[in-house]
Amino acid sequence: MLNTLLFGFAVSLIIALALGPLVIRELKKFHARQSEREEGPESHKYKAGTPTMGGILILTALVVSCLIFNPMDLRKGLALFLTLGHGIIGFLDDSIKAVKHRNLGLTAKQKLAGQFVMAAVFCFILKEYLNFPTTVWIPFTTWNVDLGMLYYVFVFVMIVGTSNAVNLTDGLDGLAAGSCAITSVAYVVISVALGYVNFAVFSAALTGACLGFLFYNQHPAKMFMGDTGSLALGGALAAMAVLTKTELLLIIAGGLYVIEALSVIIQVVSFKTRGVRVFKMSPIHHHFELSGWSEVKVVTVFWSFSAIMAILSIFVVLACK
């Protein structure tokens, strides 16, 4: 078992490291370059022109590793479906923004429509082919609450929310890739502890893919993942939580993404209702940048927070599940 997990991780890592220069070169040829938004921090203007859509590298390493080292089953196949489906939505968005030079990419309605379709199909397969339990475990307790058909509504909202939360987190060099690698490691341990050993290969491969990509995405980034990567990673994290029956635990394990999303919601609601900005800029990582922290310091502190939350989530599972 350990050998399989290590091989899955190693192959994914090696593929990402090996293909990185090729992907960067091809993205440059394709003119897939980052366009910094006018409302973004002034310090980010130098990033304009950096190759984006690097999420292709993460997805390639993940898929190849999952297919090589462990037999495909419906659970792992479903996780790959949700991840790749969100990656395709992100790819279309990135293509419009970076290649066709339309800064806004897909409209919010178009992007949400794609996410709704992915979430709906995922829920349909859970119900019709996996005969999935509709119970939800309450972390820090031994209680399980049966939501009945409302469970699928809950999962639907969870998938859309997680994919968008990770997308918001992807705003600094290495932030999303590093934090997702940390969360994925937690789900390797959680999957094994709960008996989902075959599925743990998915989490191990995702960890390797994120770390391999991080080699090229650390500050100063040679390539960005774009929505191709961030939406896909959000889908992957949601899939891992649902398919290990630890749905609510993702609030802990993915605490960073929750905070990033909440900072945007708080900022928008406060400004629209009171005309007051709570943060200097949202998502919250920009607030710390504008407060004088260097980009590297923000990323390091946020990674550390992710690691603490990941460790806490593992302890909660081992103690209560």
Side-chain angles (χ1 to χ4, degrees):
M1 176 192 71
L2 181 59
N3 285 344
T4 302
L5 293 176
L6 289 175
F7 276 130
F9 165 79
V11 168
S12 186
L13 175 64
I14 291 169
I15 290 173
L17 289 173
L19 293 183
L22 173 64
V23 170
I24 292 173
R25 186 166 64 248
E26 291 303 312
L27 289 175
K28 286 181 178 178
K29 285 183 184 177
F30 200 51
H31 301 293
R33 297 177 182 273
Q34 180 79 2
S35 297
E36 287 300 320
R37 296 180 303 172
E38 291 296 325
E39 64 271 23
E42 190 67 30
S43 61
H44 286 205
K45 300 301 181 184
Y46 78 94
K47 297 184 181 185
T50 303
T52 187
M53 299 169 68
I56 295 170
L57 181 64
I58 297 173
L59 293 174
T60 301
L62 172 65
V63 171
V64 173
S65 181
C66 283
L67 293 178
I68 286 179
F69 280 102
N70 226 23
M72 183 61 63
D73 60 12
L74 187 55
R75 194 177 296 266
K76 192 164 66 174
L78 192 52
L80 282 173
F81 162 78
L82 195 64
T83 304
L84 291 174
H86 280 82
I88 291 171
I89 297 168
F91 179 81
L92 293 174
D93 189 48
D94 287 337
S95 296
I96 295 170
K97 287 189 292 189
V99 179
K100 296 187 177 181
H101 307 291
R102 247 182 62 187
N103 286 338
L104 296 179
L106 293 174
T107 65
K109 289 183 179 178
Q110 290 170 332
K111 193 182 294 187
L112 278 174
Q115 291 172 304
F116 284 176
V117 170
M118 288 297 113
V121 173
F122 183 86
C123 290
F124 175 79
I125 296 173
L126 283 182
K127 182 177 183 297
E128 297 297 326
Y129 294 97
L130 277 180
N131 193 26
F132 213 65
T134 55
T135 54
V136 174
W137 169 55
I138 310 298
F140 298 103
T141 75
T142 56
W143 302 342
N144 289 276
V145 178
D146 194 343
L147 299 180
M149 289 303 295
L150 285 177
Y151 174 78
Y152 299 105
V153 177
F154 166 69
V155 170
F156 183 95
V157 172
M158 177 183 168
I159 292 170
V160 175
T162 305
S163 60
N164 283 307
V166 176
N167 185 237
L168 291 171
T169 304
D170 181 34
L172 300 179
D173 294 355
L175 179 56
S179 57
C180 283
I182 292 167
T183 309
S184 296
V185 169
Y187 270 100
V188 173
V189 179
I190 290 167
S191 298
V192 172
L194 297 178
Y196 302 105
V197 179
N198 186 41
F199 184 66
V201 175
F202 176 86
S203 302
L206 184 63
T207 303
C210 287
L211 290 178
F213 174 79
L214 183 60
F215 181 79
Y216 303 101
N217 185 236
Q218 62 184 318
H219 185 76
K222 298 180 179 67
M223 143 174 72
F224 300 131
M225 67 172 68
D227 284 7
T228 306
S230 59
L231 289 179
L233 289 176
L237 295 180
M240 289 189 292
V242 172
L243 294 170
T244 56
K245 293 301 298 172
T246 57
E247 298 92 345
L248 291 177
L249 188 71
L250 187 57
I251 297 174
I252 301 172
L256 175 63
Y257 322 118
V258 175
I259 290 173
E260 292 274 16
L262 282 176
S263 71
V264 174
I265 295 171
I266 291 169
Q267 185 86 323
V268 171
V269 171
S270 176
F271 187 74
K272 286 190 173 182
T273 57
R274 302 187 299 142
V276 176
R277 288 184 171 87
V278 177
F279 306 104
K280 294 181 179 179
M281 185 178 290
S282 65
I284 197 169
H285 53 256
H286 291 319
H287 171 81
F288 286 102
E289 273 193 293
L290 295 179
S291 297
W293 289 23
S294 70
E295 183 170 351
V296 172
K297 180 178 179 179
V298 176
V299 171
T300 302
V301 171
F302 279 36
W303 281 354
S304 300
F305 176 76
S306 284
I308 292 169
M309 299 304 284
I311 293 169
L312 175 60
S313 68
I314 293 171
F315 278 121
V316 171
V317 167
L318 295 179
C320 304
K321 198 78 164 80

